[in-house]
Amino acid sequence: MSKNHTWPEDGRGRVPFWVYTDPQVYREEIDKIWYGPHWLYVGLECEIPNVGDFKTTTLGERPVIMVRSGVDEITVVENRCAHRGLKFCQERFGNRQDLLCPYHQWAYSLRGDLIGVPFRRGVKKQGGMPADFDPSANGLHRLRVEEANGVVWATFSDETPSFREYLGERFWKHYTRVYDGRKLEVLGYNRQRIPGNWKLMQENIKDPYHAGLLHVFFVTFGLFRADQKSAVDIDDLGRHGILISRKGEKEQNEVTADMRQFKSDLVLNDPRILDVVQEFTGEETVGMITIFPSVILQQQVNSLTTRQIVPSGPGAFDFHWTHWTYADDSSEMKQRRTRQANLFGPAGFVSADDGEVIEFSQQGFSPSEDEAALVTMGGREIECTDHMVTETAIRGMYDYWRKVMGYA
């Protein structure tokens, strides 16, 4: 536990600013959370369809390679040569028969086993590796991997339970509502760096209170608003959450009187972005899942996206958006999902607002780390609700965070 820090007396009602700013706290988070017993989002299975296909990404701060090592096998290894520690693969995607470090050409199988060391036995009886050198003990660091209905997850810890157990049965049901086993297909990518602490992104999607006030597009066109039927669900440990809502209409009423962002005169030149089709079971049109700590699984009307969080110091994170569709969708539905993806991403009609307020939050925290944020909307309890005027899921996440980090 970092020295000199104590949690505010108000317990669940306050979050101290130092959780967002202290470099030592951040280092402890990387070790205890990102490299601890948690599943981390790696990518979609459909991104590497053929044997030898790979994708590089970063989990916590460690670069990794997700590679299809067999027809029905996906391997995730650290992108670091066992010889001199190089991040040897610099491409984002590609296909290889083996994994080769360019420096001294140490070669690894697609499963990360060391299969080639040039001059291992020397040249003309000179040099070479020691007689006790064991290739089997010098492969790439391989992570535990699970693929769950088209999504690839990895963990650095042997103590992490199965992915389904990690979610819990209630969240497994939420997860499989959209990730139901149908084949997925990528529509496109966005990437951005947001100058704010990584937890602020988790908070943002656990916070329905802001969504009906900050976002002009949501409020005005009724995509996500406080007067709509909605709910917040939290897993038993408080770490995962989902915001559920049902789309309304563009209408002015007694609730919108408190929403300064409601723009009754705002009109769309091309209304097809709101061409929404009900496609999932139930009446909900929104299901925003936060899986702690690394990803948000977005279903916002017909827009389907994974949003991966990659921390980069206490004051910044990279945000990787992968917009996807079902492979067997009609061309009309694929086009609909692509249009609606314009609501999100770095310049999205909605999500650009979130990036800005996260940056503004970090600017407010940094000079005053002994102060604390207030998270008492809806009370101090941590409980599932059938409305969105609450910060209960944020309280749940910090209740879990404090236990993992030793501030309980």
Side-chain angles (χ1 to χ4, degrees):
M1 187 171 73
S2 183
K3 61 182 180 181
N4 301 326
H5 289 314
T6 56
W7 201 265
E9 291 184 3
D10 193 11
R12 291 173 172 174
R14 295 272 182 179
V15 179
F17 291 171
W18 49 258
V19 307
Y20 309 103
T21 59
D22 188 305
Q24 188 175 343
V25 170
Y26 172 77
R27 292 309 321 167
E28 291 175 1
E29 285 180 327
I30 290 294
D31 291 336
K32 295 179 179 177
I33 294 175
W34 292 85
Y35 304 149
H38 300 89
W39 285 103
L40 306 177
Y41 171 87
V42 187
L44 302 181
E45 173 270 345
C46 64
E47 293 177 283
I48 49 171
N50 304 305
V51 174
D53 286 352
F54 69 83
K55 168 190 174 180
T56 57
T57 186
T58 304
L59 303 182
E61 293 185 336
R62 296 185 186 178
V64 301
I65 306 170
M66 176 178 76
V67 58
R68 185 168 291 279
S69 47
V71 174
D72 297 315
E73 181 185 69
I74 291 175
T75 296
V76 177
V77 292
E78 287 200 50
N79 186 0
R80 187 183 66 232
C81 181
H83 179 210
R84 300 287 288 275
L86 270 73
K87 178 185 172 184
F88 61 88
C89 184
Q90 299 292 327
E91 299 163 273
R92 190 164 296 171
F93 293 96
N95 182 282
R96 296 285 186 278
Q97 293 184 337
D98 55 26
L99 303 174
L100 182 69
C101 177
Y103 198 4
H104 300 91
Q105 299 182 19
W106 281 38
Y108 303 90
S109 74
L110 298 179
R111 300 188 74 249
D113 299 319
L114 181 60
I115 56 175
V117 176
F119 311 135
R120 175 186 169 190
R121 304 189 190 287
V123 176
K124 296 181 179 179
K125 300 183 179 180
Q126 293 180 311
M129 298 298 285
D132 62 355
F133 176 73
D134 180 4
S136 68
N138 287 279
L140 300 176
H141 181 213
R142 191 158 53 223
L143 280 65
R144 283 179 59 205
V145 175
E146 282 198 28
E147 189 233 315
N149 291 357
V151 185
V152 180
W153 305 88
T155 178
F156 290 92
S157 173
D158 293 333
E159 299 176 2
T160 314
S162 71
F163 179 69
R164 184 164 178 166
E165 186 179 348
Y166 182 69
L167 288 188
E169 284 307 305
R170 206 167 68 251
F171 269 71
W172 176 254
K173 186 176 179 181
H174 289 311
Y175 179 84
T176 54
R177 173 176 171 270
V178 172
Y179 298 87
D180 57 6
R182 281 182 280 175
K183 189 77 175 176
L184 312 183
E185 178 182 308
V186 172
L187 290 174
Y189 300 97
N190 295 118
R191 287 187 174 214
Q192 68 187 118
R193 169 155 292 198
I194 297 180
N197 184 270
W198 65 271
K199 296 185 294 298
L200 291 169
M201 194 70 249
Q202 283 273 339
E203 284 185 28
N204 180 266
I205 306 300
K206 294 175 183 290
D207 170 18
Y209 177 37
H210 90 280
L213 297 168
L214 172 68
H215 300 300
V216 173
F217 211 93
F218 274 174
V219 172
T220 302
F221 296 105
L223 289 175
F224 198 97
R225 216 168 55 195
D227 58 338
Q228 294 161 359
K229 189 174 181 180
S230 57
V232 177
D233 198 1
I234 309 168
D235 80 311
D236 294 340
L237 296 178
R239 55 189 175 187
H240 312 311
I242 181 171
L243 306 185
I244 301 167
S245 185
R246 182 180 63 182
K247 179 185 177 300
E249 302 297 332
K250 182 182 180 183
E251 61 176 348
Q252 194 160 9
N253 56 34
E254 58 191 32
V255 175
T256 59
D258 276 345
M259 301 175 181
R260 297 189 180 188
Q261 298 290 39
F262 183 83
K263 308 293 183 186
S264 60
D265 58 346
L266 187 66
V267 296
L268 297 171
N269 287 331
D270 184 349
R272 291 179 298 173
I273 197 169
L274 296 180
D275 171 27
V276 173
V277 172
Q278 184 70 27
E279 62 175 318
F280 297 106
T281 56
E283 59 184 358
E284 300 89 359
T285 57
V286 177
M288 300 290 290
I289 303 176
T290 47
I291 296 184
F292 189 83
S294 68
V295 73
I296 293 127
L297 304 178
Q298 169 193 309
Q299 181 256 312
Q300 175 60 259
V301 286
N302 303 115
S303 176
L304 304 172
T305 302
T306 63
R307 307 182 184 184
Q308 182 187 8
I309 298 168
V310 179
S312 181
F317 66 94
D318 292 323
F319 207 28
H320 300 176
W321 304 70
T322 302
H323 307 282
W324 61 269
T325 186
Y326 297 109
D328 61 0
D329 275 341
S330 66
S331 58
E332 181 184 16
M333 179 58 94
K334 292 179 180 178
Q335 192 169 39
R336 177 180 290 109
R337 296 194 201 284
T338 303
R339 284 197 198 97
Q340 291 181 13
N342 286 292
L343 294 168
F344 309 101
F349 296 146
V350 174
S351 297
D353 306 338
D354 291 326
E356 280 205 305
V357 295
I358 287 174
E359 180 177 0
F360 298 162
S361 297
Q362 195 73 23
Q363 289 172 357
F365 300 151
S366 296
S368 310
E369 66 173 15
D370 291 333
E371 301 293 329
L374 190 63
V375 288
T376 51
M377 180 56 70
R380 288 182 169 79
E381 300 304 313
I382 299 169
E383 58 189 1
C384 303
T385 70
D386 58 359
H387 61 84
M388 64 171 69
V389 193
T390 181
E391 291 166 323
T392 183
I394 296 175
R395 293 191 288 273
M397 183 180 80
Y398 280 103
D399 204 55
Y400 178 75
W401 185 93
R402 289 169 62 188
K403 291 172 184 169
V404 174
M405 295 288 290
Y407 293 99

